Amino acid sequence: MKINKILNNTKGDRWIWLIVILLSVISLLAVYSAIGSLAYKRGVGAESILMKHVAMMVAGLALMYICHKLDYNWYKGISKILMVITIPLLLYTLVFGSHVNEASRWIAIPGTGLSFQTSDLAKLALITYLARTLSRKQENIKNVKESFIPIMGAVCVVFILIAWANLSTALMLFGVSILLLIMGRISVKQIAITCLAGAFLLTAVVMLGPRRHVYMTRIHTFMHPEATNPDKSFQADHAKIAIATGGIFGKGPGQSSEINYLPEAYSDEIYAIIVEEYGLVGGFILIGIYLFLLYRCVKIATKAPKAFGTLLAAGLSFSLTIQAFANMAVAVGLGPVTGVPLPFVSMGGTSILFTSVAFGIILSVSRDNDEPKKVVVGEIKEVAMA
């Protein structure tokens, strides 16, 4: 009865819910295939790791359900609070966060044994803040002091704080921000100024940042693979091998051989494992799912009666799909190696939760679009007289 009650109270775009279910099933199959080497290294059974992943996905679905039941205008109210929390957290992460591969991206959640990337929170915070600010400032959107400086300041501050340790995520978030500025009717001149500021900050990070040699090595490896030390191109090479040996229909579930070689096969390189086991057919199906997700989200955004709903749904959907295609592009050799997971498919801890929140907010906008609007008597009279 409780399950039926929950299903009856599930609102929003049904296709989005179906996409979430499909991605969940794909994730369980792919992660279970890819965690064999991880289980061996940890000295535990693969089933125990899978159960933790299942628990995180169930928690994500529950969080998605809760978020979709909230009026999406509620997120407008907390957008400033999120920004106030996010910027200090990003600074704290850079100074006191856990260092992995010379990057400080994670902070521990006290008493849980879990850690999370503050950049995941920053994506939600910046997108909701931009959607709120752009929708509220439409009447004086050309005003530099009241509109442009606060918007550009938020984008640049978040960009530099994330880019210092996670350049790929920062670049994707910056791209989403520019798309929102275009949708929010910011002038071409002001957008150009924002892009120039972003280019300056990017140059500073690449040339002066603590991971500058990592970035330069990855770019050189991508541009000149034939002249690169095999140790440096190990991950990219084995991802290509996995895809090349998958063929049209793949080797079959659980038959991947590259899981024994690919680092982060269950996370950053999970798309290569999917193609190896399910072939080009499986790979194209997954691409189609993300494209269909973007299509449904764009429909939700265009149907939203208020600018905030349109910008919020568009920004979150752009963020999810850009991240998905960035991950898949790296796997097939169309970009340098990054640490970007495949949304709702890669094994992850709190990243699944933040992705679930993003889905929940999009569904909240969709739910509001579908609900019948109350029309007051005065409005009916006006329509009748017209």
Side-chain angles (χ1 to χ4, degrees):
M1 291 295 293
K2 289 184 178 180
I3 294 177
N4 290 333
K5 186 177 180 181
I6 291 174
L7 292 175
N8 291 333
N9 288 325
T10 299
K11 306 296 181 181
D13 192 296
R14 298 295 180 182
W15 287 107
I16 300 290
W17 284 107
L18 178 60
I19 289 169
V20 169
I21 293 171
L22 285 174
L23 291 178
S24 301
V25 172
I26 292 170
S27 176
L28 293 176
L29 293 172
V31 167
Y32 187 51
S33 294
I35 56 177
S37 58
L38 178 65
Y40 177 78
K41 291 176 183 177
R42 293 183 179 179
V44 298
E47 289 76 13
S48 64
I49 298 177
L50 181 65
M51 286 301 103
K52 291 181 181 179
H53 180 59
V54 170
M56 194 60 68
M57 296 203 72
V58 170
L61 290 171
L63 196 57
M64 189 188 310
Y65 179 82
I66 294 170
C67 290
H68 109 284
K69 295 294 288 183
L70 297 173
D71 186 331
Y72 75 87
N73 288 295
W74 182 81
Y75 300 104
K76 181 192 295 185
I78 67 167
S79 60
K80 273 193 170 182
I81 299 173
L82 286 176
M83 284 297 292
V84 170
I85 294 172
T86 294
I87 292 175
L89 272 178
L90 289 171
L91 285 168
Y92 178 87
T93 304
L94 288 176
V95 179
F96 301 107
S98 302
H99 287 261
V100 179
N101 295 328
E102 302 180 18
S104 182
R105 304 177 183 176
W106 295 266
I107 57 175
I109 302 175
T112 64
L114 298 174
S115 60
F116 78 98
Q117 290 194 55
T118 45
S119 60
D120 290 327
L121 175 62
K123 285 188 284 188
L124 288 174
L126 183 60
I127 290 171
T128 54
Y129 175 79
L130 288 178
R132 173 188 181 274
T133 306
L134 288 168
S135 61
R136 287 171 64 95
K137 302 288 186 180
Q138 282 300 299
E139 292 183 1
N140 57 346
I141 198 67
K142 308 298 182 183
N143 188 296
V144 174
K145 184 177 180 181
E146 292 186 16
S147 301
F148 178 61
I149 290 179
I151 291 170
M152 177 181 171
V155 172
C156 290
V157 168
V158 172
F159 173 77
I160 190 65
L161 290 177
I162 296 177
W164 211 248
N166 193 348
L167 184 58
S168 55
T169 297
L171 286 172
M172 285 185 287
L173 184 56
F174 187 83
V176 172
S177 301
I178 295 299
L179 289 173
L180 287 179
L181 297 188
I182 295 171
M183 293 181 63
R185 299 192 305 114
I186 295 290
S187 69
V188 174
K189 180 181 178 181
Q190 291 175 344
I191 291 174
I193 292 172
T194 306
C195 291
L196 286 174
F200 173 78
L201 294 174
L202 173 63
T203 303
V205 170
V206 173
M207 300 301 294
L208 304 174
R211 306 190 73 217
R212 57 188 179 275
H213 65 282
V214 175
Y215 299 143
M216 298 306 293
T217 299
R218 287 180 176 178
I219 293 173
H220 181 269
T221 300
F222 173 68
M223 298 297 293
H224 307 284
E226 73 287 345
T228 302
N229 187 320
D231 292 338
K232 300 293 184 182
S233 60
F234 182 85
Q235 183 172 339
D237 291 343
H238 280 278
K240 293 174 184 176
I241 292 171
I243 291 171
T245 56
I248 302 297
F249 300 104
K251 298 177 178 178
Q255 300 302 311
S256 169
S257 58
E258 291 303 312
I259 60 169
N260 300 314
Y261 304 98
L262 270 173
E264 308 294 332
Y266 46 85
S267 179
D268 300 346
E269 298 293 348
I270 198 164
Y271 184 70
I273 301 302
I274 290 172
V275 175
E276 183 183 9
E277 294 189 345
Y278 299 94
L280 291 177
V281 172
F284 280 121
I285 288 174
L286 190 55
I287 290 173
I289 290 173
Y290 282 112
L291 286 174
F292 189 61
L293 168 65
L294 180 61
Y295 166 73
R296 296 305 304 178
C297 289
V298 168
K299 286 199 69 173
I300 292 169
T302 54
K303 287 175 62 178
K306 297 180 181 179
F308 177 68
T310 296
L311 294 169
L312 187 61
L316 292 172
S317 61
F318 289 153
S319 177
L320 289 171
T321 50
I322 288 173
Q323 180 179 328
F325 282 100
N327 174 281
M328 293 186 284
V330 170
V332 299
L334 294 178
V337 173
T338 63
V340 178
L342 194 58
F344 224 73
V345 174
S346 295
M347 188 180 82
T350 51
S351 64
I352 292 178
L353 301 183
F354 283 109
T355 302
S356 301
V357 170
F359 272 118
I361 296 173
I362 293 170
L363 285 166
S364 176
V365 177
S366 173
R367 180 176 65 85
D368 183 78
N369 293 345
D370 295 339
E371 287 181 351
K373 302 296 184 291
K374 295 181 179 178
V375 182
V376 298
V377 175
E379 290 175 340
I380 295 175
K381 290 182 178 179
E382 289 179 5
V383 173
M385 291 176 64

